[in-house]
PDB file of all heavy atoms in Angstrom:
ATOM      1  N   ALA A   1      36.752 -13.666 122.267  1.00  0.00           N
ATOM      2  CA  ALA A   1      36.320 -13.908 120.881  1.00  0.00           C
ATOM      3  C   ALA A   1      37.441 -14.560 120.072  1.00  0.00           C
ATOM      4  O   ALA A   1      37.189 -15.439 119.243  1.00  0.00           O
ATOM      5  CB  ALA A   1      35.881 -12.607 120.228  1.00  0.00           C
ATOM      6  N   ILE A   2      38.674 -14.146 120.295  1.00  0.00           N
ATOM      7  CA  ILE A   2      39.818 -14.766 119.609  1.00  0.00           C
ATOM      8  C   ILE A   2      39.921 -16.226 120.006  1.00  0.00           C
ATOM      9  O   ILE A   2      40.080 -17.098 119.147  1.00  0.00           O
ATOM     10  CB  ILE A   2      41.120 -14.023 119.948  1.00  0.00           C
ATOM     11  CG1 ILE A   2      41.111 -12.619 119.343  1.00  0.00           C
ATOM     12  CG2 ILE A   2      42.341 -14.804 119.445  1.00  0.00           C
ATOM     13  CD1 ILE A   2      42.220 -11.730 119.862  1.00  0.00           C
ATOM     14  N   LYS A   3      39.817 -16.510 121.303  1.00  0.00           N
ATOM     15  CA  LYS A   3      39.946 -17.887 121.787  1.00  0.00           C
ATOM     16  C   LYS A   3      38.782 -18.770 121.325  1.00  0.00           C
ATOM     17  O   LYS A   3      38.955 -19.959 121.107  1.00  0.00           O
ATOM     18  CB  LYS A   3      40.049 -17.914 123.308  1.00  0.00           C
ATOM     19  CG  LYS A   3      41.357 -17.346 123.824  1.00  0.00           C
ATOM     20  CD  LYS A   3      42.521 -18.097 123.244  1.00  0.00           C
ATOM     21  CE  LYS A   3      43.446 -18.581 124.308  1.00  0.00           C
ATOM     22  NZ  LYS A   3      44.498 -19.433 123.800  1.00  0.00           N
ATOM     23  N   ARG A   4      37.602 -18.165 121.137  1.00  0.00           N
ATOM     24  CA  ARG A   4      36.488 -18.953 120.589  1.00  0.00           C
ATOM     25  C   ARG A   4      36.764 -19.319 119.144  1.00  0.00           C
ATOM     26  O   ARG A   4      36.486 -20.438 118.709  1.00  0.00           O
ATOM     27  CB  ARG A   4      35.180 -18.156 120.680  1.00  0.00           C
ATOM     28  CG  ARG A   4      34.448 -18.305 121.986  1.00  0.00           C
ATOM     29  CD  ARG A   4      33.016 -17.790 121.917  1.00  0.00           C
ATOM     30  NE  ARG A   4      32.905 -16.396 121.529  1.00  0.00           N
ATOM     31  CZ  ARG A   4      32.965 -15.361 122.357  1.00  0.00           C
ATOM     32  NH1 ARG A   4      33.127 -15.567 123.643  1.00  0.00           N
ATOM     33  NH2 ARG A   4      32.836 -14.127 121.914  1.00  0.00           N
ATOM     34  N   ARG A   5      37.296 -18.376 118.379  1.00  0.00           N
ATOM     35  CA  ARG A   5      37.553 -18.641 116.955  1.00  0.00           C
ATOM     36  C   ARG A   5      38.777 -19.512 116.747  1.00  0.00           C
ATOM     37  O   ARG A   5      38.794 -20.381 115.888  1.00  0.00           O
ATOM     38  CB  ARG A   5      37.719 -17.323 116.209  1.00  0.00           C
ATOM     39  CG  ARG A   5      37.913 -17.538 114.728  1.00  0.00           C
ATOM     40  CD  ARG A   5      37.667 -16.323 113.922  1.00  0.00           C
ATOM     41  NE  ARG A   5      37.892 -16.622 112.520  1.00  0.00           N
ATOM     42  CZ  ARG A   5      38.106 -15.740 111.598  1.00  0.00           C
ATOM     43  NH1 ARG A   5      38.076 -14.465 111.902  1.00  0.00           N
ATOM     44  NH2 ARG A   5      38.324 -16.089 110.358  1.00  0.00           N
ATOM     45  N   TRP A   6      39.840 -19.250 117.500  1.00  0.00           N
ATOM     46  CA  TRP A   6      41.087 -20.006 117.399  1.00  0.00           C
ATOM     47  C   TRP A   6      41.478 -20.483 118.801  1.00  0.00           C
ATOM     48  O   TRP A   6      42.304 -19.842 119.468  1.00  0.00           O
ATOM     49  CB  TRP A   6      42.202 -19.140 116.818  1.00  0.00           C
ATOM     50  CG  TRP A   6      41.922 -18.595 115.469  1.00  0.00           C
ATOM     51  CD1 TRP A   6      41.891 -19.283 114.297  1.00  0.00           C
ATOM     52  CD2 TRP A   6      41.642 -17.233 115.114  1.00  0.00           C
ATOM     53  NE1 TRP A   6      41.612 -18.449 113.251  1.00  0.00           N
ATOM     54  CE2 TRP A   6      41.471 -17.176 113.725  1.00  0.00           C
ATOM     55  CE3 TRP A   6      41.540 -16.045 115.843  1.00  0.00           C
ATOM     56  CZ2 TRP A   6      41.171 -15.985 113.049  1.00  0.00           C
ATOM     57  CZ3 TRP A   6      41.245 -14.865 115.176  1.00  0.00           C
ATOM     58  CH2 TRP A   6      41.072 -14.865 113.804  1.00  0.00           C
ATOM     59  N   PRO A   7      40.926 -21.589 119.290  1.00  0.00           N
ATOM     60  CA  PRO A   7      41.181 -22.025 120.674  1.00  0.00           C
ATOM     61  C   PRO A   7      42.658 -22.276 120.965  1.00  0.00           C
ATOM     62  O   PRO A   7      43.093 -22.189 122.105  1.00  0.00           O
ATOM     63  CB  PRO A   7      40.371 -23.321 120.811  1.00  0.00           C
ATOM     64  CG  PRO A   7      39.519 -23.423 119.608  1.00  0.00           C
ATOM     65  CD  PRO A   7      40.010 -22.456 118.583  1.00  0.00           C
ATOM     66  N   TRP A   8      43.439 -22.585 119.967  1.00  0.00           N
ATOM     67  CA  TRP A   8      44.859 -22.895 120.138  1.00  0.00           C
ATOM     68  C   TRP A   8      45.753 -21.652 120.074  1.00  0.00           C
ATOM     69  O   TRP A   8      46.958 -21.731 120.210  1.00  0.00           O
ATOM     70  CB  TRP A   8      45.289 -23.892 119.059  1.00  0.00           C
ATOM     71  CG  TRP A   8      44.984 -23.345 117.684  1.00  0.00           C
ATOM     72  CD1 TRP A   8      45.812 -22.581 116.918  1.00  0.00           C
ATOM     73  CD2 TRP A   8      43.777 -23.455 116.946  1.00  0.00           C
ATOM     74  NE1 TRP A   8      45.192 -22.212 115.753  1.00  0.00           N
ATOM     75  CE2 TRP A   8      43.930 -22.736 115.735  1.00  0.00           C
ATOM     76  CE3 TRP A   8      42.551 -24.093 117.188  1.00  0.00           C
ATOM     77  CZ2 TRP A   8      42.928 -22.643 114.778  1.00  0.00           C
ATOM     78  CZ3 TRP A   8      41.557 -23.990 116.221  1.00  0.00           C
ATOM     79  CH2 TRP A   8      41.752 -23.291 115.041  1.00  0.00           C
ATOM     80  N   ALA A   9      45.149 -20.482 119.863  1.00  0.00           N
ATOM     81  CA  ALA A   9      45.919 -19.248 119.679  1.00  0.00           C
ATOM     82  C   ALA A   9      46.653 -18.841 120.953  1.00  0.00           C
ATOM     83  O   ALA A   9      46.164 -19.034 122.068  1.00  0.00           O
ATOM     84  CB  ALA A   9      44.997 -18.115 119.260  1.00  0.00           C
ATOM     85  N   TRP A  10      47.825 -18.276 120.755  1.00  0.00           N
ATOM     86  CA  TRP A  10      48.579 -17.663 121.840  1.00  0.00           C
ATOM     87  C   TRP A  10      48.300 -16.170 121.753  1.00  0.00           C
ATOM     88  O   TRP A  10      48.463 -15.572 120.696  1.00  0.00           O
ATOM     89  CB  TRP A  10      50.067 -17.971 121.624  1.00  0.00           C
ATOM     90  CG  TRP A  10      50.989 -17.290 122.563  1.00  0.00           C
ATOM     91  CD1 TRP A  10      51.390 -17.759 123.775  1.00  0.00           C
ATOM     92  CD2 TRP A  10      51.651 -16.029 122.382  1.00  0.00           C
ATOM     93  NE1 TRP A  10      52.259 -16.872 124.351  1.00  0.00           N
ATOM     94  CE2 TRP A  10      52.435 -15.797 123.523  1.00  0.00           C
ATOM     95  CE3 TRP A  10      51.644 -15.079 121.366  1.00  0.00           C
ATOM     96  CZ2 TRP A  10      53.206 -14.653 123.680  1.00  0.00           C
ATOM     97  CZ3 TRP A  10      52.411 -13.929 121.525  1.00  0.00           C
ATOM     98  CH2 TRP A  10      53.184 -13.739 122.666  1.00  0.00           C
ATOM     99  N   VAL A  11      47.826 -15.590 122.844  1.00  0.00           N
ATOM    100  CA  VAL A  11      47.451 -14.167 122.855  1.00  0.00           C
ATOM    101  C   VAL A  11      48.186 -13.477 123.999  1.00  0.00           C
ATOM    102  O   VAL A  11      48.180 -13.951 125.131  1.00  0.00           O
ATOM    103  CB  VAL A  11      45.932 -13.986 123.041  1.00  0.00           C
ATOM    104  CG1 VAL A  11      45.549 -12.519 123.028  1.00  0.00           C
ATOM    105  CG2 VAL A  11      45.155 -14.740 121.968  1.00  0.00           C
ATOM    106  N   TYR A  12      48.804 -12.364 123.684  1.00  0.00           N
ATOM    107  CA  TYR A  12      49.521 -11.576 124.682  1.00  0.00           C
ATOM    108  C   TYR A  12      48.995 -10.156 124.653  1.00  0.00           C
ATOM    109  O   TYR A  12      48.842  -9.570 123.572  1.00  0.00           O
ATOM    110  CB  TYR A  12      51.023 -11.584 124.374  1.00  0.00           C
ATOM    111  CG  TYR A  12      51.847 -10.728 125.299  1.00  0.00           C
ATOM    112  CD1 TYR A  12      52.000 -11.069 126.632  1.00  0.00           C
ATOM    113  CD2 TYR A  12      52.456  -9.578 124.840  1.00  0.00           C
ATOM    114  CE1 TYR A  12      52.740 -10.281 127.492  1.00  0.00           C
ATOM    115  CE2 TYR A  12      53.200  -8.778 125.695  1.00  0.00           C
ATOM    116  CZ  TYR A  12      53.344  -9.142 127.019  1.00  0.00           C
ATOM    117  OH  TYR A  12      54.078  -8.357 127.863  1.00  0.00           O
ATOM    118  N   HIS A  13      48.711  -9.636 125.817  1.00  0.00           N
ATOM    119  CA  HIS A  13      48.250  -8.256 125.926  1.00  0.00           C
ATOM    120  C   HIS A  13      49.393  -7.439 126.514  1.00  0.00           C
ATOM    121  O   HIS A  13      49.628  -7.464 127.723  1.00  0.00           O
ATOM    122  CB  HIS A  13      47.015  -8.180 126.832  1.00  0.00           C
ATOM    123  CG  HIS A  13      46.448  -6.819 126.926  1.00  0.00           C
ATOM    124  ND1 HIS A  13      46.853  -5.895 127.859  1.00  0.00           N
ATOM    125  CD2 HIS A  13      45.501  -6.205 126.191  1.00  0.00           C
ATOM    126  CE1 HIS A  13      46.181  -4.785 127.689  1.00  0.00           C
ATOM    127  NE2 HIS A  13      45.348  -4.947 126.696  1.00  0.00           N
ATOM    128  N   PRO A  14      50.141  -6.751 125.675  1.00  0.00           N
ATOM    129  CA  PRO A  14      51.281  -5.985 126.175  1.00  0.00           C
ATOM    130  C   PRO A  14      50.848  -4.881 127.140  1.00  0.00           C
ATOM    131  O   PRO A  14      49.828  -4.237 126.924  1.00  0.00           O
ATOM    132  CB  PRO A  14      51.920  -5.364 124.934  1.00  0.00           C
ATOM    133  CG  PRO A  14      51.199  -5.907 123.767  1.00  0.00           C
ATOM    134  CD  PRO A  14      49.966  -6.592 124.240  1.00  0.00           C
ATOM    135  N   CYS A  15      51.607  -4.713 128.161  1.00  0.00           N
ATOM    136  CA  CYS A  15      51.334  -3.614 129.095  1.00  0.00           C
ATOM    137  C   CYS A  15      52.530  -2.669 129.117  1.00  0.00           C
ATOM    138  O   CYS A  15      52.840  -2.061 130.123  1.00  0.00           O
ATOM    139  CB  CYS A  15      50.997  -4.141 130.471  1.00  0.00           C
ATOM    140  SG  CYS A  15      52.213  -5.278 131.126  1.00  0.00           S
ATOM    141  N   ASP A  16      53.201  -2.590 127.984  1.00  0.00           N
ATOM    142  CA  ASP A  16      54.385  -1.744 127.846  1.00  0.00           C
ATOM    143  C   ASP A  16      53.953  -0.290 127.676  1.00  0.00           C
ATOM    144  O   ASP A  16      53.461   0.094 126.624  1.00  0.00           O
ATOM    145  CB  ASP A  16      55.200  -2.201 126.625  1.00  0.00           C
ATOM    146  CG  ASP A  16      56.476  -1.419 126.424  1.00  0.00           C
ATOM    147  OD1 ASP A  16      56.726  -0.466 127.195  1.00  0.00           O
ATOM    148  OD2 ASP A  16      57.216  -1.759 125.512  1.00  0.00           O
ATOM    149  N   THR A  17      54.125   0.482 128.715  1.00  0.00           N
ATOM    150  CA  THR A  17      53.736   1.884 128.636  1.00  0.00           C
ATOM    151  C   THR A  17      54.913   2.774 128.225  1.00  0.00           C
ATOM    152  O   THR A  17      54.759   3.977 128.118  1.00  0.00           O
ATOM    153  CB  THR A  17      53.180   2.366 129.982  1.00  0.00           C
ATOM    154  OG1 THR A  17      54.179   2.162 130.988  1.00  0.00           O
ATOM    155  CG2 THR A  17      51.907   1.620 130.344  1.00  0.00           C
ATOM    156  N   THR A  18      56.071   2.171 128.012  1.00  0.00           N
ATOM    157  CA  THR A  18      57.238   2.975 127.651  1.00  0.00           C
ATOM    158  C   THR A  18      57.433   3.075 126.145  1.00  0.00           C
ATOM    159  O   THR A  18      58.250   3.845 125.693  1.00  0.00           O
ATOM    160  CB  THR A  18      58.511   2.389 128.280  1.00  0.00           C
ATOM    161  OG1 THR A  18      58.713   1.066 127.786  1.00  0.00           O
ATOM    162  CG2 THR A  18      58.404   2.364 129.798  1.00  0.00           C
ATOM    163  N   HIS A  19      56.711   2.302 125.376  1.00  0.00           N
ATOM    164  CA  HIS A  19      56.871   2.332 123.925  1.00  0.00           C
ATOM    165  C   HIS A  19      55.511   2.566 123.277  1.00  0.00           C
ATOM    166  O   HIS A  19      54.663   1.677 123.244  1.00  0.00           O
ATOM    167  CB  HIS A  19      57.470   1.010 123.429  1.00  0.00           C
ATOM    168  CG  HIS A  19      57.937   1.089 122.006  1.00  0.00           C
ATOM    169  ND1 HIS A  19      57.062   1.067 120.958  1.00  0.00           N
ATOM    170  CD2 HIS A  19      59.168   1.204 121.474  1.00  0.00           C
ATOM    171  CE1 HIS A  19      57.742   1.158 119.817  1.00  0.00           C
ATOM    172  NE2 HIS A  19      59.023   1.257 120.114  1.00  0.00           N
ATOM    173  N   SER A  20      55.300   3.735 122.762  1.00  0.00           N
ATOM    174  CA  SER A  20      54.024   4.094 122.143  1.00  0.00           C
ATOM    175  C   SER A  20      53.795   3.310 120.855  1.00  0.00           C
ATOM    176  O   SER A  20      54.733   3.017 120.125  1.00  0.00           O
ATOM    177  CB  SER A  20      54.001   5.582 121.802  1.00  0.00           C
ATOM    178  OG  SER A  20      54.103   6.346 122.956  1.00  0.00           O
ATOM    179  N   GLY A  21      52.539   2.988 120.593  1.00  0.00           N
ATOM    180  CA  GLY A  21      52.176   2.399 119.316  1.00  0.00           C
ATOM    181  C   GLY A  21      52.104   0.894 119.276  1.00  0.00           C
ATOM    182  O   GLY A  21      51.666   0.336 118.282  1.00  0.00           O
ATOM    183  N   ILE A  22      52.529   0.205 120.337  1.00  0.00           N
ATOM    184  CA  ILE A  22      52.460  -1.262 120.342  1.00  0.00           C
ATOM    185  C   ILE A  22      50.972  -1.646 120.285  1.00  0.00           C
ATOM    186  O   ILE A  22      50.169  -1.141 121.071  1.00  0.00           O
ATOM    187  CB  ILE A  22      53.108  -1.858 121.605  1.00  0.00           C
ATOM    188  CG1 ILE A  22      54.583  -1.475 121.657  1.00  0.00           C
ATOM    189  CG2 ILE A  22      52.909  -3.356 121.680  1.00  0.00           C
ATOM    190  CD1 ILE A  22      55.426  -2.037 120.528  1.00  0.00           C
ATOM    191  N   PRO A  23      50.593  -2.561 119.373  1.00  0.00           N
ATOM    192  CA  PRO A  23      49.195  -2.961 119.272  1.00  0.00           C
ATOM    193  C   PRO A  23      48.673  -3.561 120.590  1.00  0.00           C
ATOM    194  O   PRO A  23      49.441  -4.094 121.404  1.00  0.00           O
ATOM    195  CB  PRO A  23      49.189  -4.016 118.165  1.00  0.00           C
ATOM    196  CG  PRO A  23      50.373  -3.657 117.334  1.00  0.00           C
ATOM    197  CD  PRO A  23      51.404  -3.167 118.308  1.00  0.00           C
ATOM    198  N   ASP A  24      47.364  -3.481 120.779  1.00  0.00           N
ATOM    199  CA  ASP A  24      46.745  -3.932 122.025  1.00  0.00           C
ATOM    200  C   ASP A  24      46.882  -5.431 122.257  1.00  0.00           C
ATOM    201  O   ASP A  24      47.046  -5.861 123.389  1.00  0.00           O
ATOM    202  CB  ASP A  24      45.264  -3.564 122.029  1.00  0.00           C
ATOM    203  CG  ASP A  24      45.060  -2.062 122.032  1.00  0.00           C
ATOM    204  OD1 ASP A  24      45.709  -1.382 122.859  1.00  0.00           O
ATOM    205  OD2 ASP A  24      44.269  -1.571 121.211  1.00  0.00           O
ATOM    206  N   LEU A  25      46.782  -6.227 121.203  1.00  0.00           N
ATOM    207  CA  LEU A  25      46.875  -7.676 121.333  1.00  0.00           C
ATOM    208  C   LEU A  25      47.875  -8.217 120.316  1.00  0.00           C
ATOM    209  O   LEU A  25      47.817  -7.868 119.134  1.00  0.00           O
ATOM    210  CB  LEU A  25      45.513  -8.331 121.102  1.00  0.00           C
ATOM    211  CG  LEU A  25      44.415  -7.956 122.089  1.00  0.00           C
ATOM    212  CD1 LEU A  25      43.077  -8.528 121.631  1.00  0.00           C
ATOM    213  CD2 LEU A  25      44.745  -8.436 123.486  1.00  0.00           C
ATOM    214  N   LEU A  26      48.770  -9.061 120.786  1.00  0.00           N
ATOM    215  CA  LEU A  26      49.723  -9.741 119.917  1.00  0.00           C
ATOM    216  C   LEU A  26      49.405 -11.222 119.992  1.00  0.00           C
ATOM    217  O   LEU A  26      49.254 -11.775 121.079  1.00  0.00           O
ATOM    218  CB  LEU A  26      51.156  -9.485 120.389  1.00  0.00           C
ATOM    219  CG  LEU A  26      51.538  -8.009 120.505  1.00  0.00           C
ATOM    220  CD1 LEU A  26      52.946  -7.875 121.077  1.00  0.00           C
ATOM    221  CD2 LEU A  26      51.435  -7.316 119.157  1.00  0.00           C
ATOM    222  N   CYS A  27      49.277 -11.869 118.831  1.00  0.00           N
ATOM    223  CA  CYS A  27      48.831 -13.258 118.786  1.00  0.00           C
ATOM    224  C   CYS A  27      49.732 -14.083 117.873  1.00  0.00           C
ATOM    225  O   CYS A  27      50.336 -13.554 116.945  1.00  0.00           O
ATOM    226  CB  CYS A  27      47.410 -13.349 118.238  1.00  0.00           C
ATOM    227  SG  CYS A  27      46.225 -12.232 118.970  1.00  0.00           S
ATOM    228  N   CYS A  28      49.750 -15.373 118.140  1.00  0.00           N
ATOM    229  CA  CYS A  28      50.348 -16.323 117.221  1.00  0.00           C
ATOM    230  C   CYS A  28      49.278 -17.365 116.931  1.00  0.00           C
ATOM    231  O   CYS A  28      48.812 -18.061 117.831  1.00  0.00           O
ATOM    232  CB  CYS A  28      51.584 -16.981 117.832  1.00  0.00           C
ATOM    233  SG  CYS A  28      52.409 -18.088 116.668  1.00  0.00           S
ATOM    234  N   ILE A  29      48.859 -17.407 115.674  1.00  0.00           N
ATOM    235  CA  ILE A  29      47.778 -18.300 115.262  1.00  0.00           C
ATOM    236  C   ILE A  29      48.245 -19.072 114.041  1.00  0.00           C
ATOM    237  O   ILE A  29      48.644 -18.469 113.043  1.00  0.00           O
ATOM    238  CB  ILE A  29      46.492 -17.509 114.945  1.00  0.00           C
ATOM    239  CG1 ILE A  29      46.061 -16.703 116.177  1.00  0.00           C
ATOM    240  CG2 ILE A  29      45.383 -18.445 114.476  1.00  0.00           C
ATOM    241  CD1 ILE A  29      44.930 -15.739 115.929  1.00  0.00           C
ATOM    242  N   ASN A  30      48.212 -20.383 114.128  1.00  0.00           N
ATOM    243  CA  ASN A  30      48.661 -21.230 113.033  1.00  0.00           C
ATOM    244  C   ASN A  30      50.076 -20.867 112.582  1.00  0.00           C
ATOM    245  O   ASN A  30      50.386 -20.873 111.400  1.00  0.00           O
ATOM    246  CB  ASN A  30      47.706 -21.141 111.837  1.00  0.00           C
ATOM    247  CG  ASN A  30      46.335 -21.698 112.143  1.00  0.00           C
ATOM    248  OD1 ASN A  30      46.185 -22.534 113.023  1.00  0.00           O
ATOM    249  ND2 ASN A  30      45.331 -21.226 111.447  1.00  0.00           N
ATOM    250  N   GLY A  31      50.912 -20.492 113.533  1.00  0.00           N
ATOM    251  CA  GLY A  31      52.302 -20.157 113.220  1.00  0.00           C
ATOM    252  C   GLY A  31      52.492 -18.797 112.592  1.00  0.00           C
ATOM    253  O   GLY A  31      53.587 -18.464 112.157  1.00  0.00           O
ATOM    254  N   GLN A  32      51.450 -17.987 112.548  1.00  0.00           N
ATOM    255  CA  GLN A  32      51.543 -16.659 111.959  1.00  0.00           C
ATOM    256  C   GLN A  32      51.330 -15.592 113.019  1.00  0.00           C
ATOM    257  O   GLN A  32      50.524 -15.752 113.936  1.00  0.00           O
ATOM    258  CB  GLN A  32      50.499 -16.494 110.852  1.00  0.00           C
ATOM    259  CG  GLN A  32      50.759 -17.401 109.674  1.00  0.00           C
ATOM    260  CD  GLN A  32      49.872 -17.051 108.506  1.00  0.00           C
ATOM    261  OE1 GLN A  32      49.548 -15.899 108.272  1.00  0.00           O
ATOM    262  NE2 GLN A  32      49.477 -18.069 107.766  1.00  0.00           N
ATOM    263  N   PHE A  33      52.073 -14.499 112.876  1.00  0.00           N
ATOM    264  CA  PHE A  33      51.983 -13.386 113.814  1.00  0.00           C
ATOM    265  C   PHE A  33      50.814 -12.495 113.452  1.00  0.00           C
ATOM    266  O   PHE A  33      50.628 -12.161 112.284  1.00  0.00           O
ATOM    267  CB  PHE A  33      53.287 -12.576 113.783  1.00  0.00           C
ATOM    268  CG  PHE A  33      53.286 -11.419 114.733  1.00  0.00           C
ATOM    269  CD1 PHE A  33      53.501 -11.612 116.086  1.00  0.00           C
ATOM    270  CD2 PHE A  33      53.039 -10.134 114.271  1.00  0.00           C
ATOM    271  CE1 PHE A  33      53.489 -10.545 116.972  1.00  0.00           C
ATOM    272  CE2 PHE A  33      53.031  -9.057 115.142  1.00  0.00           C
ATOM    273  CZ  PHE A  33      53.259  -9.264 116.493  1.00  0.00           C
ATOM    274  N   LEU A  34      50.035 -12.139 114.443  1.00  0.00           N
ATOM    275  CA  LEU A  34      48.874 -11.276 114.245  1.00  0.00           C
ATOM    276  C   LEU A  34      48.896 -10.187 115.305  1.00  0.00           C
ATOM    277  O   LEU A  34      49.066 -10.461 116.492  1.00  0.00           O
ATOM    278  CB  LEU A  34      47.584 -12.091 114.379  1.00  0.00           C
ATOM    279  CG  LEU A  34      46.255 -11.331 114.384  1.00  0.00           C
ATOM    280  CD1 LEU A  34      45.994 -10.681 113.051  1.00  0.00           C
ATOM    281  CD2 LEU A  34      45.123 -12.259 114.757  1.00  0.00           C
ATOM    282  N   ALA A  35      48.752  -8.941 114.885  1.00  0.00           N
ATOM    283  CA  ALA A  35      48.668  -7.809 115.803  1.00  0.00           C
ATOM    284  C   ALA A  35      47.302  -7.164 115.631  1.00  0.00           C
ATOM    285  O   ALA A  35      46.871  -6.900 114.508  1.00  0.00           O
ATOM    286  CB  ALA A  35      49.768  -6.805 115.502  1.00  0.00           C
ATOM    287  N   LEU A  36      46.631  -6.920 116.742  1.00  0.00           N
ATOM    288  CA  LEU A  36      45.313  -6.302 116.698  1.00  0.00           C
ATOM    289  C   LEU A  36      45.332  -5.005 117.494  1.00  0.00           C
ATOM    290  O   LEU A  36      45.690  -4.995 118.667  1.00  0.00           O
ATOM    291  CB  LEU A  36      44.254  -7.229 117.284  1.00  0.00           C
ATOM    292  CG  LEU A  36      44.031  -8.559 116.577  1.00  0.00           C
ATOM    293  CD1 LEU A  36      43.062  -9.425 117.360  1.00  0.00           C
ATOM    294  CD2 LEU A  36      43.538  -8.342 115.172  1.00  0.00           C
ATOM    295  N   GLU A  37      44.947  -3.947 116.855  1.00  0.00           N
ATOM    296  CA  GLU A  37      44.742  -2.675 117.535  1.00  0.00           C
ATOM    297  C   GLU A  37      43.242  -2.568 117.745  1.00  0.00           C
ATOM    298  O   GLU A  37      42.470  -2.582 116.789  1.00  0.00           O
ATOM    299  CB  GLU A  37      45.261  -1.513 116.689  1.00  0.00           C
ATOM    300  CG  GLU A  37      45.113  -0.171 117.342  1.00  0.00           C
ATOM    301  CD  GLU A  37      45.870  -0.052 118.651  1.00  0.00           C
ATOM    302  OE1 GLU A  37      47.028  -0.528 118.748  1.00  0.00           O
ATOM    303  OE2 GLU A  37      45.299   0.533 119.593  1.00  0.00           O
ATOM    304  N   VAL A  38      42.799  -2.498 118.987  1.00  0.00           N
ATOM    305  CA  VAL A  38      41.383  -2.485 119.328  1.00  0.00           C
ATOM    306  C   VAL A  38      40.944  -1.032 119.560  1.00  0.00           C
ATOM    307  O   VAL A  38      41.562  -0.306 120.340  1.00  0.00           O
ATOM    308  CB  VAL A  38      41.117  -3.332 120.579  1.00  0.00           C
ATOM    309  CG1 VAL A  38      39.642  -3.341 120.934  1.00  0.00           C
ATOM    310  CG2 VAL A  38      41.625  -4.764 120.372  1.00  0.00           C
TER     311      VAL A  38
END
């Protein structure tokens, strides 16, 4: 859904299990940082 809305977006799904609280998706869209907790 993110890629459909912002095809140029960079999306990273962290798999860091050693640091609690990191949002599920980290994105860079139009030069702005976006964190999504799903």
